[in-house]
Amino acid sequence: MSDADTGAPPDTAPDTPREASVDVIQRELTAFARRARAAAARVHPEIPLVSYTLLAHIAEQSGCRATDLAAHYLLDKSTVSRQLGGLEKLGLVERRPAAEDHRVQVLHPTEAGLAVLATAQANRLAAYQERLKDWSGEDLARFAGYLLRYNATGPADLPAPTDHPAEQAR
């Protein structure tokens, strides 16, 4: 079968089975991320995925500072500030002075924010249950383990972006 038959460009075909697997993983994780963004928009049309993720983190941590969010998600402080402004306008997040230092503002989810998260969590769980209903317990455990292992490798452990692989060979 030629490259024309598969639709793959001739100079980008993986050289090894490992490279082919990594290529599939990259493609599928990209598709997963796109579906996640679309699903977030259905949960609450006014909350982008980044804002939803920040709201969930604030709730999981029982409050945190904006700088903690920026550091955790490797986001620019201005991005976090913009997203938090939107959450505050919607009444989903509020700022309270920190107990140990009243100059520091700690973000907390409001009751409305917790309600949005509870609805989203129930919807997401139902969607995953449906999507994975035919998977065996062993397959689910293996998949969960692989995701934990993959996510344990943080962005700091990833190589820096490089030029096209052909450029690396020079």
Side-chain angles (χ1 to χ4, degrees):
M1 183 183 297
S2 74
D3 290 328
D5 296 333
T6 65
D11 60 328
T12 62
D15 294 331
T16 67
R18 180 178 176 84
E19 289 175 353
S21 293
V22 170
D23 187 50
V24 168
I25 290 166
Q26 179 274 322
R27 244 187 355 263
E28 293 305 312
L29 285 175
T30 300
F32 178 85
R34 286 184 182 136
R35 282 193 309 272
R37 279 191 292 276
R42 287 190 304 270
V43 169
H44 198 296
E46 297 177 60
I47 303 176
L49 182 60
V50 172
S51 294
Y52 173 81
T53 303
L54 297 179
L55 177 60
H57 187 86
I58 292 165
E60 288 167 9
Q61 298 299 311
S62 299
C64 66
R65 298 172 306 153
T67 54
D68 298 331
L69 291 168
H72 181 78
Y73 289 106
L74 303 174
L75 294 170
D76 186 79
K77 290 177 187 176
S78 65
T79 300
V80 171
S81 179
R82 211 171 23 258
Q83 300 298 324
L84 291 174
L87 290 171
E88 287 177 300
K89 274 186 185 175
L90 293 169
L92 304 177
V93 169
E94 63 186 4
R95 296 174 190 265
R96 298 183 206 151
E100 67 279 354
D101 184 348
H102 291 290
R103 295 171 297 175
V104 174
Q105 295 290 304
V106 178
L107 300 156
H108 292 275
T110 63
E111 289 300 318
L114 292 173
V116 165
L117 287 172
T119 298
Q121 179 62 20
N123 291 342
R124 287 175 37 210
L125 183 58
Y128 280 116
Q129 292 286 7
E130 177 61 27
R131 189 174 197 106
L132 301 169
K133 69 182 177 192
D134 296 330
W135 289 39
S136 70
E138 184 178 303
D139 283 347
L140 289 173
R142 192 176 307 120
F143 186 51
Y146 290 152
L147 286 173
L148 287 168
R149 183 175 166 193
Y150 177 81
N151 284 328
T153 303
D157 297 334
L158 297 176
T162 59
D163 292 330
H164 188 274
E167 296 291 320
Q168 295 172 7
R170 290 184 190 180

